[in-house]
C-alpha cells in the first residue's frame, strides 16, 4: 500500500473539529495532534511531504483507541480509524513491528498450536508470577514483567474453552443450528462466558457447533497495522467457518463480530477467491445478544435479583450497532434492574493491546468509566466484551470498588436458566 | 526559538502544557477554514496557559521579544482566524474551562474562555436559565472563541448574537496588563464601551480570560415546522412576510435544493429531495401561544405557495430536523471536498433579490453555490462547493465570491455576519468600512498593541 491511497479518505476531513467533543485520548493529552482532526491532517501532511513518517509520527498514530467515537460523530463520515490503521500498516511495512508485538502477533498468534500451548503453560506458571487480588477479582503481577505491577489481570484459564467443550452440542427441540466463534478472550481467559453462551443458545432452541480448530479473528494484528498476520488469521477463520452448514455464526465479543462482519472485507480485499466466502461469513455473523433478541428469551426464566448497569463496548455499540438488544434482553429477566450510567458508550480505554502499550493513559480513560459505574450504585457491571471486562475490573479494583461484579451479558442472561439443556 | 525562552515559557505554564515537537506544532497550521499553510508556517511553540496570570506572563515575555501570539480556542472558526505563522506562539485557552458561577438572582454567569458553548448551555438550562447564542458548532466551539468572533446562530433572528449577552470581560492586553471592562449590571455607561470593542476583535486586541454573560429565563416550550417550496424565490419572499405578521420566530432557516439533497443523503430523515427550498421555522415561548403562532406561519407559507407544511409532532421529530440542520455544512462536503461558507448578511427584505443574484453568479462562473441562510436575520450563507486542488476552478470561485460581496454591499448588507474577517476577508474589508474606517481601526490596534504581537495579519491585514 502507498500513503497516497489514504488520501482519498483523508481529504474528506473538512477540519471542522467536531471530533474534539468525543475523542477520549484528546481529553487527556490536549494537543491538537492527538485528536482525530490532527491525526488525519498529519497523515495528509505525510502524503504532502510536510511531515516525515518517523518515531514522533508513529507515536501519534499509536494514540488511537479505534473506539470509533469520532467516526460516528463526524459529519462528513470520515473513517478515521481506517485511516489510522492504514497509517500503522504503512509504518509496519516500512519499519516493522516493535519487538513485543512482533513476538505476539508473528510468532504466537500465527501458530494456533503454539499459541494454545503457550497460553496453556501460562496458566500453570502464572501462580508463580501473580498473586490474587482483593475479593477474588483477578490477580496482581508479583514481578514487573513489562506489565504494570498495579495491574489486575484475570488469570488464564486452566483449560481453554474449545478444548474442554465438545465440538457438537445438540439441543431439543432444535430450531436452528449455529456455529460459535469464541474469540481469544473467551477461549483462553473467560471460558465461563463460553459456557454461558452455550447454555443460552441451547435453551433457546439452537444446537451449537464449536469448531476446535478456530483461532484468533485477527483484529489485534489488524488494528496494529500488521496486515500480513491479520490476513493469515482472517483466512484461517474464513476457511474454518464458511462451509459449515449452520444458520448463523455467533460471536460474543464486539471486536470479533466486527471483524467477521465488516473488517474481513477490508483485510481480505485483495485475496483471490475470498470475496464470496467473506460475504457468506459476514451475512451469517451475529452477536449473541442480537441473535437472542430476535425472538426474546424463550422458556422459563427464573428470578435474577440484580441491580446492573451496562457498558456499551465500542465495537459492539458503534461498530455493530448492537445497543438496544442486550438491554431489552436483560430487562426481560425477572428481577434484573438496569440503571443506565452517564455515558454508556464512552470507551473504557482497554482497546486491546493499547492497554498494554499505554497503560497509564488507558487507566486515566478507564477512570471516567469506573466513576460512571460507581455513580449508578449498581452491584454488577454488564458488558458484551471480555476485553472491556478485564480492563474495567482492573479499574474498579484499583479504585477500591472490587465489590462491583463484572459480567458478560451472556453470563447474566444465563443465570435466568436453571438447567443447562 | 531561543531555548532559554522556551524554558521560561515552560516554567510559566508547566512543561506538560508546552508542545515543541514539529509534528505537534504542525497541527496548528489549519483551522476549520479552507486556508491551510503547511510546513512553511509551522508555529514556533504551542502553550496552554491555565489562568490569567500565566496568560499575562506569556504575553509580557512575547511583547518584550516581539513574538506574535495566536490565540486559539477550539480552532473551529471558518475565516482563518487561527492560522499560524512560522514566527509565532500559538496560545490555546482550552485549559481555562471553568464555569465560575451562575447567579440565578441576577441572571448572570461568569466563566472562563475555554468552556465549551454547549456545556455552558446545558448547565444554565438545568437551572431554568437560557444562553441563546447557538452557533452550529456549539458542541465543540469555546465561549472565548464565540466572544472573539461574536458568533451567531440560528436563534439570532429573535435573540441576537453573542455580543447581545456579554456584559463584561476580563482581558489581558498585549503588554500583559490585566483589565476588567463592562459591568455586572444590565446597564452601564461608564466610559467608552470597551466590551463591545473586544467582542468580535478576533484575537487582535486582547486575550479574553473571563466572560460575564447575561442570561434569560428558559422558554417554556418550542415548536418546529418545515415548509416545503417548489420555488426558491417564493420561499425567500416568505421570510419577511412572517415578520410582518408580527411574529418573531426563534429561527427561520432557508435551505436550497443542494443542501436538502446532501443532508437527506447523510441523515436520512425524509427531507423532500425534489423540493427547491425548505424553510425550517421554530417558535418558542409560552406553550399556550405556540400553536396559534405556528398556525399563522403555516397559513403565510401556504399563501406564498408552499406545497406542504409539516409540524414536528414531538421533541424527537424536532430534534431530527435540527440534527439535520446542524450537519448541513459537513453534509455538503460529500459533494465536493472544499467548502467555502460565505456569510454575507443583508436586510431581510433584500433576501429574494440577493438569492436571485447568487444564482446568476453561480451560473456565470460555473461554480456550485448552495444557499443555507439564517434567513430570519438575513444571513445568507452562500456556500461554494469546490476543490482546492483545481486551480482553474479556484480562480473562478474567487471571482464569484467577489461578485457576491458586491451584490451584498449594494443591498446594504455586510460582508460577514458572524464568521469574522480573519485572513479570508481582510482585503475586502475596506469595501464596507471605507478607508477612514480602516485607518481608525489600525490606529486603535497600534495604541493597544504597539508591537503588533496579537494575531498579526488578521482582520486588518498587517
Ligand atoms: C461546522 C461548523 C459550524 C459553524 N457554525 C457557526 C454558526 O452557526 N455561527 C457562527 O457564528 N460560527 C459558526 N462556526 C464558526 C466557529 O465555530 C465560530 O467562529 C466559533 O466562535 C469559534 O470558536 P473557537 O473556540 O473554535 O475559536 P477559534 O476558532 O479557536 O478562534 C476564533 C477566533 O477567536 C480568537 N480567540 C479564541 N479564543 C480567544 C480568547 N480566549 N481570547 C482572545 N481571542 C480568542 C482566535 O484568535 C480567532 O481569531 C461554525 C464552524 C463550524 C466548523
Amino acid at each position: 500500500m502507498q500513503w497516497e491511497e489514504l488520501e482519498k479518505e483523508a481529504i474528506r476531513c473538512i477540519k471542522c473539529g467536531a471530533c474534539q467533543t468525543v475523542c477520549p485520548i484528546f481529553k487527556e493529552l490536549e494537543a491538537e495532534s492527538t485528536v482525530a482532526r490532527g491525526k488525519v491532517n498529519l497523515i495528509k501532511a505525510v502524503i504532502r511531504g510536510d511531515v516525515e513518517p518517523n518515531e514522533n509520527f508513529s507515536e501519534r498514530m499509536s494514540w488511537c483507541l479505534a473506539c470509533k467515537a469520532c467516526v460516528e460523530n463526524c459529519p462528513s463520515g470520515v473513517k478515521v480509524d481506517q485511516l489510522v490503521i492504514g497509517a500503522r500498516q504503512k509504518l509496519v511495512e516500512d519499519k516493522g513491528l516493535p519487538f513485543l508485538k512482533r513476538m505476539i502477533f508473528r510468532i504466537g498468534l500465527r501458530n494456533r498450536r503454539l499459541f494454545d500451548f503457550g497460553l496453556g503453560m501460562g496458566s500453570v506458571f502464572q501462580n508463580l508470577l501473580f498473586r490474587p487480588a482483593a475479593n477474588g477479582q483477578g490477580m496482581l503481577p508479583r514481578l514487573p514483567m513489562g506489565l504494570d505491577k498495579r495491574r489486575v489481570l484475570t488469570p488464564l484459564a486452566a483449560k481453554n474453552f474449545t478444548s474442554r467443550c465438545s465440538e457438537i452440542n445438540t439441543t431439543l427441540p432444535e430450531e436452528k443450528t449455529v456455529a460459535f466463534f469464541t474469540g481469544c478472550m473467551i477461549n483462553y481467559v473467560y471460558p465461563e462466558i463460553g459456557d454461558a453462551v452455550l447454555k443460552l443458545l441451547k435453551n433457546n432452541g439452537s444446537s451449537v457447533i464449536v469448531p476446535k480448530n478456530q483461532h484468533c479473528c485477527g483484529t489485534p494484528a489488524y488494528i496494529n497495522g500488521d496486515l500480513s498476520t491479520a490476513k493469515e488469521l482472517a483466512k484461517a477463520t474464513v476457511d474454518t467457518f464458511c462451509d459449515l452448514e449452520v444458520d448463523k455464526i455467533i460471536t460474543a465479543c464486539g471486536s470479533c463480530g466486527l471483524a467477521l462482519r465488516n473488517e474481513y472485507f477490508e483485510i481480505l480485499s485483495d485475496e483471490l477467491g475470498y470475496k464470496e466466502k467473506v460475504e457468506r461469513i459476514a451475512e451469517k455473523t451475529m452477536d449473541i445478544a442480537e441473535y437472542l433478541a430476535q425472538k426474546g428469551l424463550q422458556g422459563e426464566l427464573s428470578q435474577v435479583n440484580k441491580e446492573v448497569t451496562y457498558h456499551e463496548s465500542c465495537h459492539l455499540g458503534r461498530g455493530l450497532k448492537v445497543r438496544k438488544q442486550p438491554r431489552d434482553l436483560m430487562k426481560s429477566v425477572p428481577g434484573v434492574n438496569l440503571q443506565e450510567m452517564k455515558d454508556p458508550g464512552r470507551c473504557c480505554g482497554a482497546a486491546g493491546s493499547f492497554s498494554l502499550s499505554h497503560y497509564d493513559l488507558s487507566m486515566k480513560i478507564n477512570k471516567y468509566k469506573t466513576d460512571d459505574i460507581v455513580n449508578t450504585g449498581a452491584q454488577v457491571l454488564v458488558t458484551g466484551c471480555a476485553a472491556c471486562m478485564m480492563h474495567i475490573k482492573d479499574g474498579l479494583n484499583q479504585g477500591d470498588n472490587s465489590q462491583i461484579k463484572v459480567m458478560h451479558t451472556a453470563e447474566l442472561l444465563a443465570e435466568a436458566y436453571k438447567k443447562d439443556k | 526559538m531561543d531555548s532559554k525562552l522556551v524554558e521560561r515559557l515552560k516554567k510559566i505554564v508547566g512543561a506538560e502544557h508546552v508542545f515543541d515537537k514539529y509534528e505537534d506544532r504542525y497541527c496548528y497550521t489549519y483551522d476549520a477554514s479552507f486556508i491551510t499553510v503547511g510546513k512553511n508556517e509551522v508555529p514556533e511553540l504551542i502553550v496552554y496557559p491555565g489562568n490569567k496570570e500565566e496568560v499575562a506572563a506569556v504575553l509580557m515575555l512575547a511583547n518584550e521579544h516581539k513574538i506574535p501570539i495566536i490565540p486559539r480556542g477550539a480552532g473551529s472558526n471558518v475565516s482563518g482566524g487561527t492560522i499560524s505563522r512560522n514566527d509565532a506562539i500559538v496560545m490555546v485557552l482550552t485549559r481555562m474551562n471553568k464555569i465560575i458561577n451562575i447567579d440565578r438572582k441576577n441572571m448572570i454567569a461568569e466563566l472562563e474562555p475555554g468552556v465549551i458553548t454547549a456545556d455552558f448551555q446545558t448547565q444554565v438550562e438545568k437551572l431554568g436559565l437560557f444562553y441563546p447564542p447557538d452557533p452550529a458548532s456549539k458542541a465543540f466551539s469555546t465561549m472565548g472563541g464565540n466572544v472573539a468572533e461574536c458568533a451567531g446562530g440560528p436563534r439570532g433572528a429573535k435573540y441576537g448574537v453573542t455580543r447581545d449577552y456579554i456584559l463584561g470581560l476580563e482581558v489581558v492586553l498585549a503588554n500583559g496588563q490585566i483589565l476588567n471592562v463592562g459591568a455586572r449590571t444590565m446597564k452601564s455607561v461608564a466610559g467608552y464601551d470597551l466590551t463591545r470593542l473586544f467582542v468580535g476583535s478576533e484575537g487582535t486586541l486582547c486575550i479574553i480570560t473571563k466572560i460575564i454573560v447575561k442570561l434569560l429565563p428558559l422558554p417554556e416550550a418550542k415548536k418546529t415546522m418545515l415548509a416545503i417550496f417548489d420555488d426558491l424565490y417564493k420561499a425567500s419572499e416568505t421570510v419577511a412576510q412572517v415578520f410582518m405578521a408580527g411574529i418573531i420566530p426563534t429561527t427561520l432557516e432557508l435551505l436550497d435544493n443542494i443542501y436538502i439533497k446532501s443532508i437527506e443523503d447523510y441523515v436520512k430523515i425524509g427531507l423532500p429531495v425534489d423540493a427547491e427550498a425548505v424553510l425550517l421555522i421554530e417558535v418558542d415561548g409560552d406553550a399556550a401561544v405556540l400553536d396559534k403562532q405556528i398556525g399563522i406561519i403555516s397559513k403565510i407559507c401556504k399563501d406564498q405557495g408552499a406545497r406542504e407544511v409539516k409540524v414536528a409532532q414531538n421533541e424527537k421529530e424536532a430534534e431530527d430536523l435540527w440534527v439535520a440542520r446542524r450537519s448541513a455544512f459537513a453534509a455538503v462536503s460529500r459533494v465536493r471536498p472544499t467548502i467555502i461558507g460565505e456569510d454575507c448578511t443583508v436586510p431581510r427584505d433584500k433576501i429574494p433579490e440577493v438569492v436571485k443574484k447568487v444564482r446568476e453568479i453561480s451560473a456565470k462562473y460555473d461554480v456550485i453555490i448552495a444557499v443555507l441562510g439564517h434567513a430570519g436575520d438575513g444571513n445568507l450563507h452562500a456556500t461554494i462547493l469546490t476543490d482546492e486542488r483545481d486551480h482553474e476552478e479556484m480562480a473562478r470561485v474567487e471571482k464569484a465570491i467577489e461578485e457576491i460581496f458586491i451584490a451584498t454591499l449594494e443591498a446594504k448588507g455586510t460582508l460577514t455576519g458572524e464568521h469574522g474577517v480573519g485572513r479570508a476577508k481582510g482585503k475586502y474589508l475596506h469595501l464596507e468600512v471605507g478607508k477612514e474606517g480602516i485607518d481608525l481601526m489600525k490606529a486603535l490596534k497600534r495604541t493597544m498593541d504597539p508591537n503588533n504581537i496579537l494575531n498579526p495579519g488578521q482582520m486588518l491585514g498587517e
Side-chain angles (χ1 to χ4, degrees):
Chain A
M1 197 204 40
Q2 296 304 317
W3 285 108
E4 288 68 26
E5 288 173 38
L6 299 175
E7 190 172 19
K8 229 174 101 218
E9 188 64 23
I11 189 156
R12 298 182 48 244
C13 167
I14 56 162
K15 299 174 292 180
C16 69
C19 41
Q20 294 174 95
T21 325
V22 295
C23 177
I25 300 253
F26 171 68
K27 286 249 151 55
E28 301 309 313
L29 299 182
E30 85 188 10
E32 169 76 21
S33 59
T34 64
V35 77
R37 175 171 67 172
K39 285 172 230 180
V40 172
N41 278 281
L42 280 175
I43 291 171
K44 276 201 229 172
V46 168
I47 296 166
R48 208 183 294 140
D50 279 7
V51 163
E52 286 295 313
N54 57 14
E55 275 300 301
N56 287 340
F57 174 75
S58 172
E59 186 178 33
R60 274 140 199 82
M61 290 304 121
S62 81
W63 285 328
C64 171
L65 302 157
C67 74
K68 295 181 185 283
C70 56
V71 180
E72 191 175 71
N73 190 54
C74 177
S76 319
V78 178
K79 298 193 189 87
V80 183
D81 57 338
Q82 297 295 324
L83 279 171
V84 170
I85 289 170
R88 289 174 182 175
Q89 276 169 18
K90 190 68 188 126
L91 289 166
V92 170
E93 267 174 42
D94 295 351
K95 303 191 189 324
L97 278 166
F99 178 72
L100 188 65
K101 287 185 179 164
R102 191 165 72 234
M103 291 299 287
I104 299 174
F105 300 152
R106 294 271 156 99
I107 299 171
L109 269 189
R110 277 189 182 197
N111 186 326
R112 186 177 58 82
R113 292 189 42 208
L114 184 65
F115 192 60
D116 274 355
F117 178 75
L119 291 180
M121 287 301 283
S123 71
V124 175
F125 284 114
Q126 67 188 357
N127 290 339
L128 296 172
L129 301 173
F130 294 90
R131 58 191 170 81
N135 287 350
Q137 293 261 47
M139 58 186 190
L140 290 155
R142 292 185 199 270
L143 306 163
M145 306 172 289
L147 287 174
D148 198 285
K149 273 185 89 170
R150 289 159 300 170
R151 185 161 196 191
V152 179
L153 289 154
T154 303
L156 290 170
K159 194 154 188 207
N160 63 323
F161 179 71
T162 49
S163 56
R164 80 176 199 202
C165 87
S166 41
E167 196 150 18
I168 295 173
N169 309 271
T170 50
T171 192
L172 280 174
E174 181 193 89
E175 292 167 26
K176 294 260 155 67
T177 307
V178 301
F180 178 31
F181 180 83
T182 68
C184 300
M185 288 295 289
I186 292 177
N187 196 10
Y188 299 104
V189 184
Y190 294 110
E192 58 277 17
I193 300 175
D195 297 335
V197 169
L198 278 190
K199 184 176 171 191
L200 279 172
L201 287 169
K202 282 160 65 185
N203 272 290
N204 284 276
S206 299
S207 295
V208 193
I209 298 175
V210 188
K212 284 255 186 276
N213 60 348
Q214 58 177 298
H215 192 20
C216 171
C217 68
T219 292
Y222 175 61
I223 286 201
N224 281 287
D226 184 0
L227 187 62
S228 72
T229 303
K231 267 188 188 167
E232 275 194 37
L233 294 167
K235 282 202 288 196
T237 306
V238 170
D239 291 338
T240 307
F241 282 85
C242 75
D243 291 327
L244 294 177
E245 302 228 336
V246 293
D247 299 298
K248 293 286 170 201
I249 299 166
I250 303 299
T251 55
C253 156
S255 305
C256 299
L258 192 63
L260 269 62
R261 198 144 93 193
N262 293 352
E263 281 165 359
Y264 282 0
F265 287 100
E266 192 65 36
I267 297 174
L268 297 175
S269 60
D270 54 2
E271 285 297 306
L272 277 178
Y274 273 88
K275 188 165 177 290
E276 185 270 330
K277 291 185 195 173
V278 168
E279 273 167 13
R280 223 180 319 149
I281 295 256
E283 212 172 281
K284 282 188 183 176
T285 301
M286 268 189 135
D287 181 74
I288 177 76
E290 200 177 13
Y291 180 70
L292 295 174
Q294 294 178 110
K295 287 174 83 178
L297 294 179
Q298 307 291 300
E300 197 188 322
L301 303 179
S302 51
Q303 191 88 7
V304 179
N305 289 324
K306 284 194 165 117
E307 296 281 327
V308 307
T309 185
Y310 181 71
H311 160 67
E312 241 168 46
S313 106
C314 300
H315 290 172
L316 191 56
R318 280 182 290 273
L320 293 172
K321 315 275 180 229
V322 176
R323 290 173 158 136
K324 196 169 169 292
Q325 299 93 324
R327 293 176 162 97
D328 288 348
L329 289 168
M330 286 191 283
K331 286 188 215 158
S332 74
V333 174
V336 170
N337 182 16
L338 176 66
Q339 241 4 74
E340 289 290 348
M341 68 177 85
K342 189 172 138 226
D343 197 354
R346 194 182 203 277
C347 179
C348 71
S353 60
F354 182 87
S355 63
L356 290 175
S357 49
H358 301 84
Y359 186 64
D360 280 332
L361 184 53
S362 83
M363 282 317 282
K364 277 190 192 150
I365 295 168
N366 191 249
K367 181 79 169 57
Y368 296 88
K369 182 56 63 182
T370 52
D371 284 352
D372 286 351
I373 294 170
V374 172
N375 283 337
T376 63
Q379 315 157 305
V380 184
L381 178 272
V382 180
T383 185
C385 163
C388 302
M389 284 171 64
M390 183 141 111
H391 202 52
I392 292 173
K393 256 188 200 177
D394 185 4
L396 286 173
N397 219 294
Q398 291 192 33
D400 278 334
N401 288 301
S402 54
Q403 79 286 356
I404 300 177
K405 237 187 126 186
V406 178
M407 290 174 96
H408 192 280
T409 316
E411 291 179 286
L412 182 84
L413 300 178
E415 284 194 6
Y417 290 99
K418 288 225 176 59
K419 283 197 300 283
D420 203 354
K421 230 180 163 182
Chain B
M1 180 179 288
D2 176 29
S3 65
K4 277 209 200 94
L5 212 56
V6 175
E7 282 317 305
R8 283 174 69 186
L9 287 163
K10 284 186 177 169
K11 266 229 174 74
I12 295 171
V13 303
E16 69 276 29
H17 303 302
V18 173
F19 298 96
D20 55 5
K21 291 208 172 92
Y22 173 79
E23 293 75 12
D24 289 331
R25 291 183 284 123
Y26 185 88
C27 292
Y28 300 83
T29 55
Y30 58 80
D31 48 33
S33 69
F34 62 95
I35 303 165
T36 359
V37 284
K39 67 168 181 241
N40 296 326
E41 298 291 351
V42 175
E44 295 243 35
L45 203 70
I46 319 298
V47 299
Y48 282 64
N51 55 47
K52 64 169 186 269
E53 289 79 15
E54 291 179 12
V55 171
V58 173
L59 282 185
M60 247 181 300
L61 207 60
N63 199 33
E64 182 189 326
H65 292 86
K66 302 197 169 49
I67 303 169
I69 293 279
I70 301 175
R72 185 176 165 114
S76 75
N77 76 87
V78 287
S79 52
T82 48
I83 295 292
S84 61
R85 25 190 287 168
N86 60 20
D87 55 352
I89 295 173
V90 175
M91 178 188 279
V92 188
L93 284 306
T94 50
R95 273 181 70 213
M96 297 177 62
N97 62 357
K98 277 190 285 302
I99 298 173
I100 301 162
N101 75 60
I102 302 173
D103 175 348
R104 293 171 71 185
K105 281 198 184 134
N106 292 306
M107 299 228 288
I108 60 175
E110 265 177 76
L111 58 144
E112 292 186 333
V115 173
I116 304 298
T117 314
D119 290 351
F120 177 58
Q121 287 172 332
T122 310
Q123 290 310 317
V124 300
E125 283 171 25
K126 276 187 193 160
L127 301 173
L129 296 168
F130 187 37
Y131 175 73
D134 60 339
S137 52
K138 65 183 181 179
F140 45 99
S141 71
T142 67
M143 287 292 290
N146 286 179
V147 174
E149 294 286 13
C150 187
R155 287 180 197 144
K158 178 169 177 179
Y159 291 105
V161 294
T162 304
R163 95 159 61 82
D164 301 313
Y165 295 86
I166 306 303
L167 296 176
L169 294 170
E170 174 190 85
V171 302
V172 183
L173 299 178
N175 61 8
Q177 243 173 50
I178 300 173
L179 185 68
N180 283 284
V181 298
R184 281 181 170 68
T185 50
M186 295 304 127
K187 47 164 78 167
S188 165
V189 288
Y192 293 133
D193 192 343
L194 295 176
T195 313
R196 281 224 165 185
L197 177 61
F198 290 131
V199 175
S201 61
E202 301 187 12
T204 63
L205 297 181
C206 67
I207 304 285
I208 299 153
T209 51
K210 194 165 81 186
I211 304 164
I212 303 169
V213 303
K214 132 178 131 181
L215 302 168
L216 299 180
L218 185 63
E220 183 187 22
K222 51 190 170 195
K223 264 213 135 69
T224 308
M225 60 170 273
L226 191 72
I228 302 162
F229 288 83
D230 290 322
D231 181 341
L232 176 61
Y233 193 76
K234 281 274 181 226
S236 56
E237 275 189 324
T238 307
V239 179
Q241 298 289 331
V242 171
F243 285 84
M244 277 160 64
I247 299 174
I248 301 189
T250 323
T251 52
L252 205 164
E253 303 279 295
L254 170 73
L255 288 78
D256 76 355
N257 180 265
I258 302 172
Y259 267 107
I260 299 169
K261 276 204 303 224
S262 2
I263 295 175
E264 179 57 21
D265 205 32
Y266 169 47
V267 284
K268 304 208 171 42
I269 53 151
L271 292 179
V273 291
D274 60 334
E276 273 308 303
V278 298
L279 290 176
L280 176 60
I281 305 169
E282 189 170 279
V283 288
D284 71 357
D286 205 354
V289 304
L290 296 185
D291 282 335
K292 185 176 160 205
Q293 292 191 343
I294 286 281
I296 297 172
I297 299 173
S298 300
K299 178 157 188 316
I300 295 171
C301 290
K302 286 197 182 128
D303 291 349
Q304 287 288 317
R307 84 167 186 226
E308 200 187 336
V309 175
K310 285 188 192 168
V311 180
Q313 293 308 322
N314 49 44
E315 248 176 59
K316 161 98 180 40
E317 280 182 29
E319 183 54 24
D320 275 355
L321 290 175
W322 284 110
V323 166
R325 165 60 189 88
R326 280 198 287 274
S327 61
F329 182 48
V332 288
S333 78
R334 294 169 179 234
V335 182
R336 302 295 303 279
T338 307
I339 304 301
I340 305 176
E342 269 314 319
D343 73 326
C344 289
T345 304
V346 296
R348 240 173 345 244
D349 68 325
K350 294 288 194 304
I351 293 173
E353 169 187 326
V354 178
V355 164
K356 208 171 185 180
K357 192 83 200 166
V358 167
R359 277 289 145 103
E360 284 164 23
I361 294 168
S362 164
K364 178 170 168 194
Y365 292 101
D366 189 22
V367 292
I368 309 177
I369 309 181
V371 172
L372 171 152
H374 304 319
D377 57 26
N379 196 341
L380 275 184
H381 283 319
T383 316
I384 295 109
L385 315 186
T386 178
D387 187 339
E388 61 193 304
R389 295 166 301 182
D390 183 339
H391 298 294
E392 185 275 324
E393 182 172 323
M394 287 305 280
R396 281 184 281 128
V397 166
E398 187 145 340
K399 289 211 188 92
I401 291 179
E402 280 184 28
E403 278 202 27
I404 294 176
F405 287 171
I406 290 162
T408 303
L409 293 175
E410 277 172 356
K412 299 208 162 34
T414 176
L415 294 180
T416 171
E418 57 184 23
H419 291 169
V421 177
R423 287 209 187 188
K425 291 187 177 172
K427 68 175 173 184
Y428 303 108
L429 188 57
H430 70 96
L431 292 176
E432 184 170 337
V433 304
K435 182 177 175 309
E436 301 77 6
I438 299 273
D439 286 348
L440 180 58
M441 289 186 200
K442 283 186 176 169
L444 273 169
K445 166 79 172 160
R446 273 195 291 272
T447 304
M448 298 173 72
D449 178 13
N451 291 326
N452 195 24
I453 62 160
L454 284 170
N455 225 355
Q458 297 285 354
M459 194 176 327
L460 301 171
E462 63 178 36

